[in-house]
Amino acid sequence: MTQDLEVFRAETRAWLEANCPPSMRTPMTGEDDAVWGGRNYEFKNPEAKLWLERMGAKGWTAPTWPAEYGGGGLSADENRVLQSELKKIGARPPLFSFGLWMLGPVLLEYANEEQKKEHLPKIVRGEIRWCQGYSEPGAGSDLAGLQTKCEDKGDHWLINGQKVWTSYANYADWCFCLVRTDTSVKHEGISFVLIDMTTPGVETRPIKLISGSSPFCETFFTDVKIPKGNMVGRLNGGWEIAKRLLQYERTNISGFGSNTRVDVVDLAKKHVGLEDGALEDRDLRARIAAHKMTERAYALSVQRAQEEAKAGGNVSHMASMFKVAGATLNIDRCELMVEAAGNRALGWSGEGFTPDDLATTRGWLRSKGNSIEGGTTEINLNVVAKRVLGLRDTQ
Amino acid sequence: MTQDLEVFRAETRAWLEANCPPSMRTPMTGEDDAVWGGRNYEFKNPEAKLWLERMGAKGWTAPTWPAEYGGGGLSADENRVLQSELKKIGARPPLFSFGLWMLGPVLLEYANEEQKKEHLPKIVRGEIRWCQGYSEPGAGSDLAGLQTKCEDKGDHWLINGQKVWTSYANYADWCFCLVRTDTSVKHEGISFVLIDMTTPGVETRPIKLISGSSPFCETFFTDVKIPKGNMVGRLNGGWEIAKRLLQYERTNISGFGSNTRVDVVDLAKKHVGLEDGALEDRDLRARIAAHKMTERAYALSVQRAQEEAKAGGNVSHMASMFKVAGATLNIDRCELMVEAAGNRALGWSGEGFTPDDLATTRGWLRSKGNSIEGGTTEINLNVVAKRVLGLRDTQ
Amino acid sequence: MTFTLNDDARMLKDSARDFFREQAPVTRLRKQRDAKQNGRDPELWAEISALGFAGVIIPEEYGGAGLGYVALGAVLEEAGRTLVASPLHSSALAGASALLLAGTDAQKAEWLPKIASGEVIATIAIDEGAHHAPAKSKIKFEGGKLSGEKKYVADGHIADLFIVAAADALFLVKADTAGVTRRELVTADSRGAADISFAGVAAEKMNGGADIVDAILDRARIGLAAEMVGAASEAFEITSEYLKTRKQFGQVIGGFQALQHRAAKLFTDLELTRSCVLAALDALDRNANNVAEYASLAKARASETVHLATNEMVQLHGGIGMTDVHDAGLYLKRARVTEALYGGASFHRDRYASLLGF
Amino acid sequence: MTFTLNDDARMLKDSARDFFREQAPVTRLRKQRDAKQNGRDPELWAEISALGFAGVIIPEEYGGAGLGYVALGAVLEEAGRTLVASPLHSSALAGASALLLAGTDAQKAEWLPKIASGEVIATIAIDEGAHHAPAKSKIKFEGGKLSGEKKYVADGHIADLFIVAAADALFLVKADTAGVTRRELVTADSRGAADISFAGVAAEKMNGGADIVDAILDRARIGLAAEMVGAASEAFEITSEYLKTRKQFGQVIGGFQALQHRAAKLFTDLELTRSCVLAALDALDRNANNVAEYASLAKARASETVHLATNEMVQLHGGIGMTDVHDAGLYLKRARVTEALYGGASFHRDRYASLLGF
């Protein structure tokens, strides 16, 4: 077994050596370097295209998915070897994809054979870019209050309604979507469907955030017809799938904090300065120290949860806890960065501020969404209280 | 008018000069110096007795109460003059009394003539010491859930039940008490009665707190008969009186923070030490500074509320806000004191610690009750949210 | 001490409220921003000045109303409520205060009437790095020529007159003097500012030393705190209204106890801070001897309160609060700028501790 | 790194849990206190020692089990849960660590077997004022004689052997040596301690300098953090149970959202701290090169967590939590002592920042 793994490691190393292009072994310099794939994706760097094609062909964008659906078919141990080898050469992720992170795992669990065969391989190869149609203007924290109607018209479903906060819907090829198939009940009247965004009647409108960026859209469905085969799971059985998918999303978003390019300590040293080796502003210093401790505590806890998961413990209920802690951590980090950078972090654009300064400001504003997207902190605290701690209303 | 006030000031000053005994012009050295009065009260200092008698005779223990009920009959302006003159000579309060602070004002508002004539003068002169029978083991935050039964037996009321957190019930002569006179409704089935603690069937048992002191009791009523005339206000009309009284209590308890004898800054200077004029522990220093700011903000806010009240504004709804802020402030102060005093504040008794050290520890433990007694912080936040901010459940 | 406005101040506050609500609601800031004016709105400033707001603290002999800081604070609070972008704080409060405290008779006679009429926009140039550290100024003045750099001067991009602070002296510099270079800053609060360099620039020395620099800064801090309390109050009230109308799970979200408690705590914090700011303004008019304490108290607490109020505004609005079309972001951005100006909570906690002797 | 207990440690933890729950529940502390034993309970210590808990980190050659810090941490955590008053931390962890790291071969051979068997109670004597400041020690050692004062030495009133820290050296002093005066302290946590003065006392120098003092303290800090996580966990669980049973307004109070959110936050905080403590214990057994960082991380976070957990325990129990008959006060008092010992959160934030270079 261990010997097999060492063989696998050697082969993997050799393959990566031969196939990972040089520019794909350098650190990403910004969000623009993220490859999202899809029908209309334009690669800024031909080596990024090559890297995706090669990894996609081996199924290593989704290493543990079954090979029959285009995945790598690797065991958990083999995957750990692959990840460690990728890390060793500093390889960039070949693909960023809601299909990989969120939809794929639930398709594997809930979809029928035809649906798996149709969609999973394209996700693996980055050919189809997915977006998520969950929230609606009247259904945010109360997601199950969604109203987008899906009617059975015999040979097709007819969809009418509006979604909001659909990430990059304006770039997406397909949308996985929660719809209402029964108005007489709440949670039990929701279904999970897949919608081709090129279907007539689908419109998207980007939402500009307070940070100036537009990573989300409003998405409108007007008399959109989709094939009957596009429903995943049973009719009115969508809520269970939705909850499972939210866990993947929370785990994913809670990882934001680790994506730090500029360290708050470095920023503070630069803008605040040291005196006898300590930040001159002792008040800020104490708060940064507390933050760095929480950051370390969070990282150690993620590691612990992974270890417990590996040992067979059920840690899925911890997703909400990590979502809350991760979001809080990143918001605090961004606040401390803005405070440390002083008036250099009060800019919006122009030459008066460096690109790093402006990124601090914009990143700070963007971070405020972390405690809202993927389930608000309030909703996730409810989940921890009720599902993890067993505190329930008697009403 | 102003001239009249100046005459009053001169007369008051002369009277105080002649009548306030020397030892009553020195700062109190501890809780033991507080005079609570009552049938069985033993004065430790004969001058304290003299001071109470003289002030009581003038009605100046309750300066603004009507003279016909033994009060001072002063106007608000005259009372301010009196208070400023008392402050000028550093006079101790002649009397500490729940009768003065809590019961008296509601008797003036709700009691009948006979009740006022009977009870108010004795409160003014400190002849009767009162305690409050409100909470029960099953009715804490949910005070209206109280179950102590009061039955109409024709020529008397018959009372059975148990109260808890009755302040100094073991020393009190009389108790003002909430009882249930109708079990079929909640708030509308409560009445407000006055009980002589020497009545057969009344028993008290002191409660020892985590601080080691016993300022509260459990009080048991077993077939206690009281005269029909001892009910204040109408039958089943006690909840309104209770709420009004709670406002007085909250205003009263929220003032705890100002009763500071040892300043946290002095304590920190002593135990932590200064370096270049700043506390060596800069982290603690920043937190003490923030606390001192809150303390000042609180004091200014109380002053503002008084000014607004004087100008005719309705500030009674602010009682809950001040209760929360005052309790939080005092708890924080005690925490900072313990932190500043380091291991010197970890003692319980014995010669290894100074009396001041031990007072810091005991005071810290006692302060934890501030956010519970007189309505928990949680209940008072509910009140602020609902009554002041107008946030209400739709259910 | 008093917390109550006198009749003059009350009338001024009411007229400011009416004017800003009608003529300069948040949509006006939004329009300025979308037109990339970066805080430039001479028309609005002319209207504000015409109402006498630019001369509130300037004595009548210099063309002002001589009503004092409590009155100007009331106007600034109202301006803060609708995020009015104008040099009201930098010119009518900070600039005017500098001339009142440090101006020679000739300087006062020359500039105060123009500031009062709004004809001249003055501002104080303080910081030289990323952080507020007035005592560490490196401004040099030799042979009537001033040299050095100032960073993030509020309204520095539109000011006609700079009051430049050295560590222990103050100087008047006309913005169009040879050797003055300003780099306009496009700022997050859409108000604009400037980094300014002075290369051997003709400057007039004003009266006073480090004490006067501090006294002027304290006025700027207290006045800004008044604006911040206005912004925080409005942010709180908008949020509170939203809690009463937004429904989820079949009820208004203001019915959820966790949100009720947060709202109640924010309200308490706001009321406590309001008392500090009112007391600080009053201390200025009373010429109290502990203005410095009041200034640090007011600025530190206002910084924390407006921070909390605007962050809660975004969070409690949920997704909609993150969108540019909602006003929450505008409050958040302005709050962050005011927090940093003339020293943040951290700076003022440190100063307060020093003032209290620990 | 691993967070998982190996079989030995798991078995040890289970037996510790069973033993403490049955033989040393909180009622035992209460009894000790009411009998004014001030932490003295030789019978309990004999039972604990008989189970081998006193020798967990001591190598087999010296009569211990040689199982390491993760294993001892697991025992301390269980002891923390029921507030077991015994010299387990001061002798079996701190004292033993001092001898293991700084003892000469002869010192180890003489003392470790006795510590492992529980026959001798050792403790480390560190602080000399109200606060933890090991680098500022004024202990003097001249001609084989030690002089100076130590304050609030944990279990100092019952210890047989002191390891006395100077700023850059360590000394062994037998408690019954001439010139040692101890003043017993009756402490808030009912465990007792002592102020000790050394007046030219015969002492043996141990190996190592300031680095070793620090290394020993880091072990004491991490071990104490394990005890604190135990106490915090138990406080949280008791409170959580109460929330599920106490009814007001016709429902269990755990149904109120404001309390739910506080419980969820406390739980999150506790889990994050637990990870730090487990990692710190593991770092000791791995002989990691950043033990100091882990120690300050674990001690600072454990201090804050146990503080929050015990304060919430009182508050969420309401009036009953304030009474002496309820255990909440006992948890609160022990928490405050452990927070202060070997440096509180403030001390360790400062140290952590220094270790990270800022």
Side-chain angles (χ1 to χ4, degrees):
Chain A
M1 175 68 175
T2 310
Q3 205 180 347
D4 286 353
L5 272 187
E6 285 316 304
V7 172
F8 177 75
R9 184 182 295 276
E11 289 171 359
T12 301
R13 190 175 297 175
W15 186 88
L16 289 176
E17 200 45 62
N19 288 284
C20 184
S23 67
M24 291 298 102
R25 303 184 191 194
T26 63
M28 287 172 56
T29 61
E31 286 189 15
D32 282 354
D33 285 340
V35 169
W36 287 90
R39 286 178 191 142
N40 308 309
Y41 190 74
E42 288 179 22
F43 287 88
K44 263 169 247 87
N45 175 349
E47 291 193 343
K49 185 162 186 285
L50 201 62
W51 179 221
L52 173 57
E53 283 169 359
R54 288 173 177 169
M55 287 288 277
K58 277 192 92 74
W60 281 5
T61 49
T64 60
W65 293 7
E68 57 182 312
Y69 305 125
L74 302 188
S75 69
D77 281 335
E78 287 169 333
N79 186 32
R80 263 186 293 277
V81 168
L82 170 60
Q83 297 308 322
S84 82
E85 291 302 318
L86 282 165
K87 199 172 166 187
K88 208 169 283 169
I89 61 168
R92 294 184 186 180
L95 182 61
F96 287 70
S97 155
F98 299 123
L100 284 179
W101 302 330
M102 291 156 65
L103 179 62
V106 307
L107 286 183
L108 282 167
E109 189 171 355
Y110 294 98
N112 61 36
E113 194 56 27
E114 198 179 341
Q115 291 166 335
K116 291 186 202 172
K117 284 248 160 68
E118 167 66 19
H119 295 293
L120 290 172
K122 293 176 186 167
I123 291 173
V124 172
R125 296 192 299 265
E127 290 170 8
I128 292 294
R129 180 169 181 176
W130 287 86
C131 66
Q132 169 181 266
Y134 266 41
S135 298
E136 299 180 6
S141 288
D142 182 13
L143 181 58
L146 60 91
Q147 298 299 336
T148 291
K149 205 168 18 170
C150 174
E151 292 166 285
D152 188 344
K153 294 294 179 181
D155 63 341
H156 66 270
W157 302 108
L158 184 70
I159 297 178
N160 277 288
Q162 181 194 344
K163 292 289 173 185
V164 73
W165 307 118
T166 35
S167 302
Y168 299 114
N170 48 341
Y171 300 119
D173 303 310
W174 278 71
C175 178
F176 49 95
C177 199
L178 292 177
V179 291
R180 178 149 304 284
T181 37
D182 186 343
T183 54
S184 69
V185 283
K186 194 172 178 181
H187 297 80
E188 298 75 19
I190 293 170
S191 300
F192 190 92
V193 298
L194 309 177
I195 304 174
D196 187 326
M197 296 291 278
T198 61
T199 317
V202 177
E203 268 182 287
T204 63
R205 192 188 300 157
I207 298 169
K208 190 170 163 192
L209 294 190
I210 60 175
S211 59
S213 65
S214 297
F216 303 105
C217 291
E218 294 176 289
T219 303
F220 302 88
F221 300 105
T222 314
D223 289 335
V224 173
K225 296 181 189 177
I226 63 166
K228 295 297 285 266
N230 282 19
M231 184 172 288
V232 176
R234 63 177 177 79
L235 180 66
N236 295 324
W239 187 244
E240 186 191 339
I241 305 179
K243 280 192 298 180
R244 180 62 56 97
L245 204 141
L246 277 176
Q247 282 180 358
Y248 292 114
E249 183 180 11
R250 281 166 193 173
T251 313
N252 183 28
I253 291 182
S254 65
F256 277 175
S258 54
N259 242 341
T260 314
R261 275 172 300 140
V262 179
D263 188 83
V264 59
V265 169
D266 294 334
L267 202 72
K269 280 183 183 168
K270 177 177 164 194
H271 287 295
V272 177
L274 297 176
E275 187 180 49
D276 301 332
L279 287 179
E280 266 198 83
D281 182 340
R282 299 302 176 91
D283 188 321
L284 177 62
R285 175 176 182 258
R287 287 178 288 123
I288 291 178
H291 168 74
K292 294 303 286 183
M293 285 187 176
T294 309
E295 188 176 271
R296 190 96 184 85
Y298 178 80
L300 289 167
S301 298
V302 170
Q303 222 176 318
R304 176 157 73 97
Q306 285 165 347
E307 193 177 304
E308 285 169 9
K310 192 177 152 191
N314 179 7
V315 292
S316 66
H317 61 288
M318 302 303 261
S320 285
M321 187 188 90
F322 282 115
K323 168 65 174 63
V324 170
T328 307
L329 189 65
N330 199 44
I331 290 170
D332 287 351
R333 185 179 67 83
C334 291
E335 275 297 341
L336 289 168
M337 300 221 349
V338 166
E339 186 175 347
N343 61 43
R344 294 302 103 185
L346 303 178
W348 187 253
S349 62
E351 293 179 4
F353 300 97
T354 68
D356 273 0
D357 289 340
L358 295 174
T360 299
T361 316
R362 303 283 187 122
W364 162 70
L365 287 163
R366 179 64 186 85
S367 75
K368 301 298 177 193
N370 295 165
S371 49
I372 297 168
E373 58 207 310
T376 63
T377 285
E378 290 77 13
I379 290 295
N380 279 301
L381 288 173
N382 287 348
V383 171
V384 172
K386 291 187 175 130
R387 242 176 288 158
V388 183
L389 306 182
L391 300 173
R392 283 170 203 283
D393 309 0
T394 42
Q395 294 167 324
Chain B
M1 175 68 178
T2 309
Q3 206 181 346
D4 286 354
L5 273 186
E6 285 316 306
V7 173
F8 177 74
R9 184 183 296 276
E11 289 171 0
T12 301
R13 189 175 300 174
W15 187 88
L16 290 176
E17 198 45 61
N19 289 282
C20 184
S23 66
M24 291 297 102
R25 304 184 191 193
T26 62
M28 288 171 54
T29 60
E31 286 188 15
D32 281 355
D33 284 340
V35 169
W36 288 89
R39 284 178 192 143
N40 309 310
Y41 191 73
E42 289 178 21
F43 289 88
K44 264 170 246 85
N45 175 349
E47 292 193 341
K49 185 162 186 281
L50 201 62
W51 179 222
L52 172 57
E53 283 168 359
R54 287 172 178 171
M55 286 289 278
K58 276 191 92 73
W60 282 4
T61 49
T64 60
W65 293 7
E68 56 183 312
Y69 305 126
L74 302 189
S75 69
D77 281 335
E78 287 170 334
N79 186 32
R80 262 187 293 278
V81 168
L82 170 61
Q83 297 307 324
S84 82
E85 291 302 318
L86 283 165
K87 198 173 168 187
K88 208 168 285 170
I89 61 168
R92 294 185 185 178
L95 182 62
F96 286 70
S97 154
F98 298 123
L100 284 180
W101 303 331
M102 292 157 63
L103 178 62
V106 307
L107 286 183
L108 281 169
E109 190 172 356
Y110 294 97
N112 60 36
E113 194 56 25
E114 198 179 343
Q115 291 166 335
K116 289 185 204 173
K117 285 247 160 69
E118 167 67 19
H119 296 293
L120 290 172
K122 293 177 185 166
I123 291 173
V124 171
R125 296 192 300 265
E127 291 169 9
I128 292 296
R129 180 169 181 176
W130 287 86
C131 66
Q132 170 181 265
Y134 266 42
S135 299
E136 299 179 6
S141 287
D142 183 12
L143 180 59
L146 60 92
Q147 299 300 335
T148 292
K149 207 171 11 170
C150 174
E151 293 167 283
D152 189 343
K153 294 292 178 182
D155 62 341
H156 66 270
W157 301 108
L158 185 70
I159 298 178
N160 277 287
Q162 183 194 346
K163 293 288 173 184
V164 73
W165 307 118
T166 35
S167 303
Y168 299 113
N170 47 341
Y171 300 119
D173 305 308
W174 279 70
C175 177
F176 50 95
C177 197
L178 292 177
V179 291
R180 179 150 302 285
T181 37
D182 186 343
T183 55
S184 68
V185 284
K186 193 171 179 182
H187 297 80
E188 298 75 20
I190 293 170
S191 300
F192 189 91
V193 296
L194 308 177
I195 304 174
D196 187 327
M197 297 292 278
T198 60
T199 316
V202 178
E203 269 182 288
T204 64
R205 190 188 301 156
I207 299 169
K208 190 170 164 192
L209 294 189
I210 60 175
S211 59
S213 65
S214 297
F216 303 105
C217 291
E218 295 177 287
T219 303
F220 303 88
F221 300 105
T222 313
D223 289 333
V224 173
K225 294 179 189 179
I226 64 167
K228 294 299 284 264
N230 282 17
M231 183 173 291
V232 176
R234 61 177 179 79
L235 180 67
N236 295 323
W239 186 245
E240 186 191 339
I241 304 179
K243 281 192 298 181
R244 180 59 58 95
L245 203 142
L246 277 176
Q247 282 180 357
Y248 292 113
E249 183 180 13
R250 280 164 194 174
T251 312
N252 183 26
I253 291 182
S254 64
F256 277 175
S258 53
N259 243 341
T260 313
R261 275 171 302 138
V262 179
D263 188 85
V264 59
V265 169
D266 293 334
L267 202 72
K269 281 183 185 170
K270 177 178 164 192
H271 287 295
V272 177
L274 297 176
E275 186 181 50
D276 300 331
L279 287 179
E280 267 199 83
D281 182 339
R282 299 303 176 90
D283 188 320
L284 176 62
R285 175 177 181 257
R287 288 179 288 122
I288 291 178
H291 168 74
K292 294 303 284 182
M293 285 188 176
T294 308
E295 187 176 272
R296 190 96 184 83
Y298 177 80
L300 289 167
S301 298
V302 169
Q303 223 176 317
R304 177 158 73 97
Q306 285 166 347
E307 194 177 305
E308 285 168 10
K310 192 179 151 191
N314 179 7
V315 293
S316 66
H317 61 288
M318 302 304 260
S320 286
M321 186 188 90
F322 282 115
K323 168 65 173 66
V324 170
T328 307
L329 188 65
N330 200 44
I331 290 170
D332 287 350
R333 185 179 68 83
C334 291
E335 274 297 342
L336 288 169
M337 301 228 336
V338 166
E339 186 174 346
N343 60 43
R344 294 301 103 185
L346 304 178
W348 186 252
S349 62
E351 293 178 5
F353 300 95
T354 68
D356 273 359
D357 289 340
L358 295 174
T360 299
T361 315
R362 302 284 187 121
W364 162 71
L365 288 162
R366 179 63 186 84
S367 76
K368 300 299 179 194
N370 294 168
S371 49
I372 297 168
E373 56 206 312
T376 64
T377 285
E378 290 76 14
I379 289 295
N380 278 301
L381 288 173
N382 288 348
V383 171
V384 173
K386 290 185 175 131
R387 243 176 286 157
V388 183
L389 306 182
L391 300 173
R392 282 169 202 285
D393 308 2
T394 43
Q395 294 167 325
Chain C
M1 188 190 307
T2 179
F3 298 88
T4 315
L5 298 186
N6 62 29
D7 291 344
D8 285 343
R10 164 60 52 197
M11 275 175 54
L12 196 70
K13 185 176 166 79
D14 289 346
S15 78
R17 168 173 279 241
D18 292 345
F19 173 75
F20 292 134
R21 295 251 168 225
E22 285 158 28
Q23 302 302 319
V26 181
T27 46
R28 183 142 189 177
L29 173 69
R30 196 175 278 283
K31 259 186 225 155
Q32 292 171 4
R33 181 194 71 168
D34 294 345
K36 300 198 185 305
Q37 290 173 270
N38 200 29
R40 280 185 186 80
D41 192 340
E43 228 170 274
L44 176 59
W45 180 235
E47 292 175 71
I48 290 172
S49 305
L51 285 165
F53 298 160
V56 175
I57 61 165
I58 295 174
E60 294 183 25
E61 55 179 307
Y62 297 117
L67 291 175
Y69 285 94
V70 168
L72 182 54
V75 177
L76 283 163
E77 183 184 334
E78 293 302 329
R81 279 185 171 268
T82 61
L83 304 179
V84 178
S86 87
L88 188 61
H89 179 270
S90 44
S91 188
L93 189 135
S97 292
L99 277 152
L100 285 169
L101 267 69
T104 63
D105 288 346
Q107 288 165 345
K108 287 183 191 175
E110 181 178 2
W111 295 109
L112 284 173
K114 291 177 184 165
I115 292 174
S117 71
E119 181 191 339
V120 155
I121 294 172
T123 189
I124 55 174
I126 308 295
D127 294 334
E128 299 173 17
H131 292 274
H132 185 59
K136 294 189 179 168
S137 171
K138 291 177 182 162
I139 289 291
K140 290 239 157 33
F141 184 66
E142 286 170 346
K145 303 286 181 183
L146 184 130
S147 297
E149 301 216 341
K150 289 292 183 182
K151 298 283 185 195
Y152 208 93
V153 176
D155 294 315
H157 62 314
I158 54 170
D160 307 297
L161 183 67
F162 299 121
I163 291 101
V164 181
D168 55 0
L170 289 147
F171 305 91
L172 272 185
V173 179
K174 282 181 263 187
D176 56 7
T177 312
V180 172
T181 315
R182 45 181 159 187
R183 171 145 75 177
E184 179 165 347
L185 300 174
V186 182
T187 61
D189 64 352
S190 307
R191 304 262 300 233
D195 288 349
I196 303 173
S197 73
F198 303 92
V201 167
E204 283 180 33
K205 194 168 183 313
M206 301 174 78
N207 292 326
D211 282 4
I212 297 293
V213 174
D214 240 19
I216 292 165
L217 280 170
D218 281 339
R219 279 150 184 79
R221 290 157 180 158
I222 292 169
L224 195 60
E227 185 194 316
M228 295 160 87
V229 161
S233 301
E234 191 74 15
F236 172 73
E237 286 164 25
I238 292 170
T239 306
S240 186
E241 268 319 298
Y242 188 73
L243 291 177
K244 290 174 194 169
T245 50
R246 167 75 172 172
K247 283 192 176 186
Q248 290 281 276
F249 305 102
Q251 67 163 303
V252 290
I253 59 175
F256 290 106
Q257 195 195 33
L259 305 194
Q260 290 183 341
H261 281 198
R262 278 159 63 177
K265 284 179 192 169
L266 174 52
F267 173 75
T268 304
D269 186 65
L270 181 56
E271 286 306 306
L272 261 59
T273 296
R274 190 187 307 285
S275 306
C276 297
V277 173
L278 292 175
L281 290 163
D282 179 64
L284 289 177
D285 284 343
R286 286 189 295 117
N287 243 316
N289 60 11
N290 54 350
V291 161
E293 275 176 40
Y294 275 115
S296 282
L297 174 68
K299 184 59 174 46
R301 282 202 57 100
S303 295
E304 294 192 318
T305 298
V306 80
H307 184 102
L308 180 64
T310 53
N311 275 272
E312 286 287 58
M313 186 182 195
V314 172
Q315 179 68 22
L316 294 177
H317 277 83
I320 192 75
M322 276 297 292
T323 63
D324 185 70
V325 296
H326 194 273
D327 289 342
L330 299 176
Y331 280 89
L332 183 75
K333 292 169 194 173
R334 177 60 185 162
R336 204 67 197 70
V337 172
T338 55
E339 282 176 60
L341 275 177
Y342 314 121
S346 182
F347 176 91
H348 286 291
R349 274 194 293 268
D350 176 66
R351 185 166 179 258
Y352 196 72
S354 298
L355 289 166
L356 263 58
F358 66 95
Chain D
M1 187 191 308
T2 178
F3 298 88
T4 315
L5 298 186
N6 62 28
D7 290 345
D8 284 343
R10 164 60 51 198
M11 274 175 55
L12 197 68
K13 185 176 165 79
D14 289 346
S15 77
R17 167 173 279 240
D18 292 346
F19 173 75
F20 292 135
R21 296 248 169 228
E22 285 157 28
Q23 302 303 318
V26 181
T27 46
R28 183 141 189 176
L29 173 68
R30 197 176 278 282
K31 261 186 224 156
Q32 292 171 6
R33 182 194 69 167
D34 295 344
K36 301 199 184 303
Q37 290 173 270
N38 201 27
R40 281 183 185 80
D41 192 341
E43 226 171 275
L44 176 59
W45 180 236
E47 292 175 71
I48 290 173
S49 305
L51 285 164
F53 297 160
V56 175
I57 60 166
I58 295 173
E60 295 181 25
E61 57 179 306
Y62 297 115
L67 290 176
Y69 286 93
V70 168
L72 183 52
V75 176
L76 283 163
E77 183 184 334
E78 294 302 329
R81 280 185 171 268
T82 61
L83 303 179
V84 178
S86 88
L88 188 60
H89 178 271
S90 44
S91 188
L93 188 135
S97 292
L99 277 153
L100 285 169
L101 266 70
T104 63
D105 288 346
Q107 288 165 344
K108 287 183 192 173
E110 181 177 2
W111 296 108
L112 284 174
K114 291 176 183 165
I115 292 174
S117 70
E119 181 191 340
V120 154
I121 294 172
T123 189
I124 55 173
I126 308 296
D127 295 333
E128 300 174 17
H131 292 274
H132 186 57
K136 295 188 179 170
S137 171
K138 291 177 182 162
I139 289 290
K140 291 239 157 31
F141 185 67
E142 285 170 346
K145 303 286 184 184
L146 184 127
S147 297
E149 301 217 340
K150 291 290 183 183
K151 298 283 185 195
Y152 208 95
V153 176
D155 293 315
H157 62 315
I158 55 171
D160 306 297
L161 182 68
F162 300 121
I163 291 101
V164 181
D168 56 0
L170 289 148
F171 305 91
L172 272 185
V173 179
K174 281 181 264 187
D176 57 6
T177 312
V180 171
T181 315
R182 44 182 160 185
R183 171 144 76 176
E184 179 165 349
L185 300 175
V186 182
T187 61
D189 64 353
S190 307
R191 306 261 300 232
D195 289 348
I196 303 172
S197 72
F198 303 92
V201 166
E204 282 181 33
K205 193 169 183 312
M206 301 175 77
N207 291 327
D211 282 3
I212 297 292
V213 174
D214 240 18
I216 292 165
L217 278 172
D218 281 339
R219 279 151 185 77
R221 290 157 179 159
I222 292 169
L224 194 60
E227 184 196 317
M228 293 160 88
V229 161
S233 301
E234 191 74 14
F236 172 73
E237 286 163 26
I238 292 170
T239 306
S240 185
E241 269 317 299
Y242 187 73
L243 291 177
K244 290 175 194 168
T245 49
R246 166 76 172 171
K247 283 193 176 185
Q248 289 282 276
F249 305 103
Q251 67 164 302
V252 290
I253 60 174
F256 290 106
Q257 196 195 32
L259 305 194
Q260 290 182 341
H261 281 199
R262 277 159 65 177
K265 284 179 192 170
L266 174 53
F267 173 75
T268 303
D269 186 65
L270 180 56
E271 286 307 305
L272 260 60
T273 296
R274 189 187 309 284
S275 305
C276 296
V277 173
L278 292 175
L281 290 163
D282 179 65
L284 289 177
D285 284 342
R286 286 189 295 117
N287 242 318
N289 60 10
N290 54 351
V291 160
E293 275 176 39
Y294 275 116
S296 282
L297 174 68
K299 184 60 174 47
R301 281 204 57 100
S303 295
E304 294 192 318
T305 298
V306 80
H307 184 102
L308 180 65
T310 52
N311 275 272
E312 286 286 58
M313 186 183 197
V314 172
Q315 180 67 23
L316 294 176
H317 276 83
I320 192 75
M322 277 297 292
T323 63
D324 185 70
V325 295
H326 194 272
D327 289 343
L330 299 176
Y331 280 89
L332 184 74
K333 292 169 193 174
R334 177 59 184 163
R336 204 67 197 70
V337 171
T338 55
E339 283 176 60
L341 275 177
Y342 314 122
S346 181
F347 177 92
H348 285 292
R349 275 195 293 269
D350 177 66
R351 184 167 180 256
Y352 196 71
S354 298
L355 290 167
L356 264 56
F358 66 94

